């Protein structure tokens, strides 16, 4: 069974540009969450998508957005990139078959974004 | 107060010893608790999850949960140098939003 796949693995962008990251969850998993990981802040929750709808959102500016497709694949977009957006962006997928108890999440290898 | 707190370490233990990692959380509505291991430059890897008070064992790993005291711990028996990594505690209140601690760096000395 394939794991969570994130593309691309590495990106270098210039301030002011925008970027789109992709995540394909484990087959059968319908929940996809996105996280930003930096040395100073650790893993910070961005948002979660389930059934093509954003269900949860973290405390990030509106420059960070996402979407989910009918096959559960998800994309995250960051517009008007800032130097501080340099981070490892991780996607996690969950089965989400128990609405009142969060089941385990499995991470992809991440996309390392560098903004110069 | 941070929502999920862990001692950053490093926690150094000799090979073969028991490593004890602790995590406290602030949201009393938390229902799901997870331990992840992250090697440098890699993504987090799920080790254990626990939903109910008490102990849960899986091989050399034991997760312990005490909801009244709002802490969860991870014990690693017979620690190996390959266990050297950062261990992340994650908590969720049933919303599929996982709140992570900043992690404890474990060093197992050969």
């Amino acid at each position: 069974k394939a794991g969570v796949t994130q593309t691309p693995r590495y990106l270098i962008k210039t301030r002011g540009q925008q970027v789109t990251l992709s995540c394909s969850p484990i087959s059968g998993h319908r929940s996809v969450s996105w996280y930003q990981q930096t040395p100073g802040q650790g893993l910070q929750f961005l948002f979660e998508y389930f059934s093509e709808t954003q269900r949860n959102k973290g405390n990030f500016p509106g420059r960070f957005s996402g979407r989910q497709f009918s096959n559960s694949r998800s994309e995250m977009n960051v517009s008007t990139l800032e130097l501080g957006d340099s981070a490892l962006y991780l996607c996690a997928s969950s089965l989400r078959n128990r609405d009142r108890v969060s089941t385990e999440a499995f991470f992809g290898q991440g996309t390392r974004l560098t903004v110069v | 107060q941070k929502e999920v707190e862990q001692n950053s370490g490093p926690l150094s233990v000799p090979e073969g010893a028991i490593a004890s990692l602790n995590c406290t959380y602030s949201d009393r509505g938390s229902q799901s608790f997870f331990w992840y291991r992250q090697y440098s430059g890699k993504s987090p890897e799920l080790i254990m999850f626990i939903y109910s008070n008490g102990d849960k064992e899986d091989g050399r790993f034991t997760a312990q949960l005490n909801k009244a005291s709002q802490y969860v711990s991870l014990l690693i028996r017979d620690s190996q140098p390959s266990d050297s990594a950062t261990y992340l505690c994650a908590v969720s209140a049933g919303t599929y939003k996982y709140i992570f601690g900043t992690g404890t760096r474990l060093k197992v000395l050969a």
Side-chain angles (χ1 to χ4, degrees):
Chain A
K1 200 172 188 179
V4 181
T5 303
Q6 291 188 244
T7 56
R9 293 290 309 277
Y10 302 92
L11 268 177
I12 299 176
K13 290 286 188 179
T14 304
R15 272 182 304 174
Q17 287 186 312
Q18 74 164 15
V19 66
T20 299
L21 312 181
S22 179
C23 173
S24 293
I26 293 170
S27 178
H29 284 196
R30 298 170 61 196
S31 169
V32 174
S33 302
W34 288 89
Y35 292 82
Q36 180 195 67
Q37 188 174 33
T38 58
Q41 297 296 318
L43 268 162
Q44 301 286 310
F45 174 78
L46 281 155
F47 30 66
E48 184 236 351
Y49 284 86
F50 174 71
S51 291
E52 303 176 61
T53 302
Q54 187 181 90
R55 305 290 178 150
N56 292 288
K57 189 177 189 308
N59 297 321
F60 278 82
R63 299 186 297 107
F64 292 82
S65 63
R67 59 177 175 168
Q68 186 180 36
F69 302 95
S70 59
N71 61 357
S72 296
R73 189 178 72 86
S74 177
E75 289 183 346
M76 189 189 90
N77 184 276
V78 187
S79 62
T80 319
L81 284 165
E82 301 177 358
L83 294 179
D85 297 333
S86 295
L88 179 66
Y89 290 88
L90 291 158
C91 157
S93 81
S94 303
L95 195 54
R96 216 188 206 274
N97 61 346
R98 300 174 65 179
D99 282 337
R100 299 184 64 184
V101 176
S102 303
T103 54
E104 55 271 32
F106 298 90
F107 284 89
Q109 292 304 302
T111 295
R112 184 162 296 281
L113 172 64
T114 302
V115 182
V116 297
Chain B
Q1 182 192 8
K2 291 185 179 179
E3 294 178 85
V4 178
E5 295 208 50
Q6 296 180 255
N7 189 317
S8 61
L11 172 66
S12 296
V13 299
E15 183 175 359
I18 295 175
S20 178
L21 305 163
N22 299 311
C23 170
T24 59
Y25 59 94
S26 60
D27 185 353
R28 286 197 171 274
S30 300
Q31 299 175 332
S32 308
F33 306 86
F34 308 90
W35 283 100
Y36 287 84
R37 176 176 63 196
Q38 187 173 27
Y39 293 110
S40 181
K42 302 294 185 182
S43 63
E45 172 193 11
L46 180 68
I47 299 175
M48 296 279 295
F49 58 91
I50 186 168
Y51 302 139
S52 304
N53 274 332
D55 295 359
K56 179 181 179 183
E57 186 175 320
D58 184 0
R60 295 187 297 113
F61 300 95
T62 299
Q64 299 175 317
L65 174 62
N66 184 322
K67 289 187 178 180
S69 301
Q70 295 177 246
Y71 83 78
V72 57
S73 62
L74 179 70
L75 300 178
I76 306 175
R77 289 182 299 281
D78 188 24
S79 295
Q80 301 298 308
S82 59
D83 294 326
S84 298
T86 296
Y87 288 80
L88 300 166
C89 171
V91 172
S92 181
T95 60
Y96 283 85
K97 175 181 177 180
Y98 303 85
I99 306 300
F100 283 81
T102 52
T104 298
R105 190 155 63 95
L106 174 66
K107 296 175 70 173
V108 181
L109 308 173

